[in-house]
């Protein structure tokens, strides 16, 4: 176990890893993670606030950038994972939007009897 830990620590101290941490290959995806995290946080919120147009736009945006992350050399798997997560979150939000606006409809508000 100690040899494994030493090897991992040695890789973290390497010039290649430091160069990776200072590249747009790393910081671009890190900055993008705000989008899927916000979408995942919104899954529990009221579906009446979901924008169908924005959800559709973000779905296509993530599809395009997943392809880009896969095709760029070297492949950017961190960017791919970010946009794959966002794609799943946006599809979930889209399903909630369609269900709320076109299938179930708004739920009637119950009045309290005193």
């Amino acid at each position: 176990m100690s040899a494994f830990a030493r090897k991992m620590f040695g890789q973290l101290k390497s010039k290649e890893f430091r160069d990776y941490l200072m590249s747009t290959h790393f910081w671009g995806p890190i900055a993008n993670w705000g989008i899927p995290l916000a979408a995942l946080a919104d899954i529990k919120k009221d579906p009446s606030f979901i924008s169908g147009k924005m959800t559709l736009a973000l779905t296509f945006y993530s599809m395009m950038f997943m392809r880009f992350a896969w095709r760029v050399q070297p492949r950017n798997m961190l960017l791919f994972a970010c946009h794959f997560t966002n794609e799943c979150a946006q599809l979930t939000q889209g399903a909630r939007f369609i269900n709320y606006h076109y299938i179930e409809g708004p739920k009637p508000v119950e009045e309290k009897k005193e």
Side-chain angles (χ1 to χ4, degrees):
M1 184 67 166
S2 176
F4 177 73
R6 239 180 283 132
K7 184 177 178 181
M8 289 301 295
F9 188 66
Q11 278 198 293
L12 291 175
K13 288 175 36 178
S14 72
K15 180 175 175 11
E16 292 82 16
F17 186 72
R18 286 193 314 268
D19 288 345
Y20 174 68
L21 285 180
M22 297 302 147
S23 72
T24 56
H25 231 64
F26 176 75
W27 288 107
I30 294 300
N32 265 317
W33 271 102
I35 299 168
L37 292 176
L40 291 171
D42 288 347
I43 288 176
K44 296 287 184 185
K45 294 183 180 173
D46 185 18
S48 65
F49 295 109
I50 298 172
S51 167
K53 291 179 184 179
M54 183 55 80
T55 300
L56 184 64
L58 285 170
T59 300
F60 285 124
Y61 163 80
S62 281
M63 270 195 275
M64 288 187 305
F65 272 93
M66 275 194 309
R67 182 182 183 279
F68 169 79
W70 189 259
R71 298 292 302 253
V72 70
Q73 292 298 321
R75 285 189 177 146
N76 193 337
M77 297 311 287
L78 187 56
L79 184 64
F80 184 86
C82 171
H83 285 290
F84 180 79
T85 304
N86 190 45
E87 185 71 23
C88 295
Q90 295 303 329
L91 289 173
T92 301
Q93 292 292 71
R96 292 179 67 225
F97 176 83
I98 291 169
N99 187 43
Y100 179 80
H101 288 283
Y102 299 107
I103 298 173
E104 282 185 3
K107 294 179 182 172
V109 179
E110 295 179 19
E111 294 182 23
K112 291 183 180 180
K113 294 182 180 179
E114 292 183 52

